[in-house]
Amino acid sequence: MSFSPKRVTLLGSTGSIGTQALEVLRAQPGRFTVTALSAQSNAELLVAQAREFRPAAVVIGDERKYPAVQAALASQPETEVLTGAAALAEVAGRSDADVVLTAMVGYAGLLPTVRAIQAGKNIALANKETLVVAGQLITELVKQHGVQLLPVDSEHSAIFQCLVGEEQNPIEKIVLTASGGPFRGRDRAALAQVTKAQALKHPNWDMGAKITIDSASLMNKGLEVIEAKWLFGLRNDQIEVVVHPQSIIHSLVQFEDGSLKAQLGLPDMKLPIQYALGYPQRLPNSFPRFRFLDFPQLTFEPADTSTFRNLALAFEAMRQAGNAPCVLNAANEVAVAAFLQDKIGFLEMSEVVESSLARVSYLAAPTLDDYVQTDAETRRVAQELVRF
């Protein structure tokens, strides 16, 4: 059976998800072509990727790096070199892609994702912040333009996979699993002494610096809770978080008859990336296989929201709704950056987020412009709190 290769635009190609996505595409010759790549500042790797995959366009976000990228790709006339946020949004909406994989980190992924949806592109969503910041707006746009929103996060991919074939069966609840991070079981006194180097060592997953810190503070799980609400049309009380240190069960769905379905596998992001890009097909691969006898015990415990305040703050922001999750996300991005620069301690990240939620103007029904303004206001407030 002949088929046309699926055309992929990859936003954030030099980060952890982006490089693993290109590994997936590289291992599936003839099934995919790359139409565009983007990076914020890693010009050298972006050039190497462009030379290998020969996309129609590349975007370097940092305008200072544009001359170097343009010069390096001057002998590759089929690849247009662009720079800046406006160019990124424009490329995201181009007609030469079937699916846009949004692998950018943080709030920066919102506007390109909006543009891609408006252009009728299916979205493979690795940028959870898009739904955290503007979940209602994004889900309305997805319905309006008739596109698919395919989750790439391992937990949301697990839920999505469990729901295939269950369209007529209402969800009673979902259970998001969390590894608990490198500091599972520690009290607040111990967390006060945590160093950046310790926080960057995740026990199970190999990820970029920002998401690794978020995982250590449980903010990543909080963001995933909000993302799940919008992806699967859930009420706040239908989402539960359970700590599962082995990271083998990636999440579960409970139906109205009490049955639970789970998706299991080794902690490897290439599997959910491939599932999203290949959907509805499951593509063969040579990824390592899970063996039960290698994991004779799978354990579970409650999430400690009193010690790890970020998870509780995320649930509260979800309950407040409006622009509160946007505030949560922006304040957290500032706080994580400050922690990575040794300007604040580990526990102070939660304090910055909580104070920002109290100080930033609340809007019950924000527009896209309101989200942009909320993000900017929150960053000003949070930066004052961390004394940038």
Side-chain angles (χ1 to χ4, degrees):
M1 183 176 69
S2 63
F3 57 88
S4 298
K6 186 176 289 188
R7 302 168 299 172
V8 179
T9 285
L10 175 48
L11 306 182
S13 64
T14 61
S16 176
I17 295 295
T19 54
Q20 290 179 85
L22 290 177
E23 287 183 48
V24 168
L25 300 184
R26 194 179 288 118
Q28 298 286 343
R31 290 187 180 273
F32 300 97
T33 59
V34 176
T35 56
L37 299 169
S38 84
Q40 175 56 30
S41 59
N42 193 339
E44 185 176 342
L45 181 53
L46 179 64
V47 167
Q49 292 172 342
R51 286 173 173 162
E52 178 182 359
F53 290 93
R54 322 293 288 193
V58 298
V59 182
I60 181 74
D62 186 342
E63 297 183 8
R64 296 169 298 179
K65 304 280 183 79
Y66 172 72
V69 177
Q70 187 180 44
L73 295 175
S75 61
Q76 192 170 309
E78 70 269 32
T79 299
E80 181 182 11
V81 180
L82 301 162
T83 187
L88 183 65
E90 187 271 323
V91 166
R94 288 189 178 183
S95 61
D96 59 353
D98 300 307
V99 60
V100 176
L101 172 53
T102 59
M104 301 169 66
V105 177
Y107 170 83
L110 174 61
L111 295 181
T113 304
V114 168
R115 184 67 176 271
I117 294 170
Q118 290 172 332
K121 305 300 170 189
N122 291 329
I123 306 296
L125 187 70
N127 176 258
K128 64 176 64 68
E129 292 86 352
T130 291
L131 283 177
V132 172
V133 169
Q136 184 166 347
L137 172 69
I138 294 296
T139 51
E140 288 173 355
L141 284 173
V142 165
K143 291 177 184 176
Q144 179 183 340
H145 294 279
V147 302
Q148 291 180 313
L149 201 57
L150 303 164
V152 170
D153 268 348
S154 60
E155 296 83 356
H156 303 87
S157 176
I159 295 164
F160 184 74
Q161 293 180 57
C162 289
L163 291 175
V164 171
E166 300 280 4
E167 291 78 12
Q168 304 306 313
N169 296 315
I171 298 171
E172 187 167 280
K173 72 173 180 179
I174 65 164
V175 181
L176 290 175
T177 55
S179 71
F183 309 127
R184 179 175 62 89
R186 299 198 191 181
D187 60 19
R188 291 183 66 81
L191 292 182
Q193 307 303 317
V194 160
T195 67
K196 175 174 65 178
Q198 292 170 328
L200 285 170
K201 292 181 180 178
H202 194 280
N204 298 334
W205 296 94
D206 181 14
M207 306 174 290
K210 196 269 182 181
I211 191 173
T212 302
I213 299 301
D214 280 348
S215 294
S217 72
L218 291 198
M219 179 58 88
N220 188 56
K221 200 55 50 180
L223 299 179
E224 289 176 357
V225 165
I226 300 171
E227 182 185 9
K229 170 188 171 71
W230 296 110
L231 272 174
F232 305 112
L234 302 170
R235 300 187 313 273
N236 298 340
D237 62 358
Q238 288 179 292
I239 306 171
E240 180 182 346
V241 173
V242 171
V243 173
H244 168 49
Q246 295 80 23
S247 296
I248 295 300
I249 296 177
H250 296 303
S251 278
L252 308 94
V253 179
Q254 182 169 301
F255 296 96
E256 289 187 324
D257 63 353
S259 295
L260 283 162
K261 287 177 72 173
Q263 187 262 334
L264 288 73
L266 295 171
D268 182 351
M269 279 304 301
K270 291 192 290 292
L271 183 58
I273 291 168
Q274 179 180 285
Y275 187 78
L277 292 176
Y279 182 81
Q281 288 181 285
R282 287 189 181 273
L283 304 178
N285 60 52
S286 59
F287 301 159
R289 269 35 180 180
F290 169 75
R291 294 177 66 251
F292 273 99
L293 296 183
D294 292 336
F295 295 86
Q297 287 189 320
L298 299 180
T299 61
F300 308 90
E301 58 195 65
D304 183 358
T305 55
S306 60
T307 300
F308 294 90
R309 288 280 301 137
N310 277 347
L311 182 55
L313 291 172
F315 270 103
E316 179 56 31
M318 180 173 66
R319 284 189 288 269
Q320 289 182 24
N323 68 338
C326 180
V327 174
L328 176 93
N329 179 72
N332 180 64
E333 289 188 17
V334 172
V336 170
F339 176 71
L340 288 171
Q341 295 167 28
D342 298 312
K343 294 185 176 182
I344 62 174
F346 187 82
L347 290 178
E348 289 176 287
M349 289 190 290
S350 299
E351 295 170 9
V352 169
V353 173
E354 188 164 17
S355 295
S356 297
L357 283 165
R359 296 186 188 191
V360 175
S361 307
Y362 175 74
L363 297 171
T367 63
L368 181 58
D369 286 343
D370 290 330
Y371 288 125
V372 173
Q373 292 172 18
T374 293
D375 180 80
E377 180 187 352
T378 303
R379 289 175 195 274
R380 287 194 299 270
V381 169
Q383 284 167 356
E384 290 173 4
L385 291 167
V386 301
R387 298 179 298 280
F388 268 20

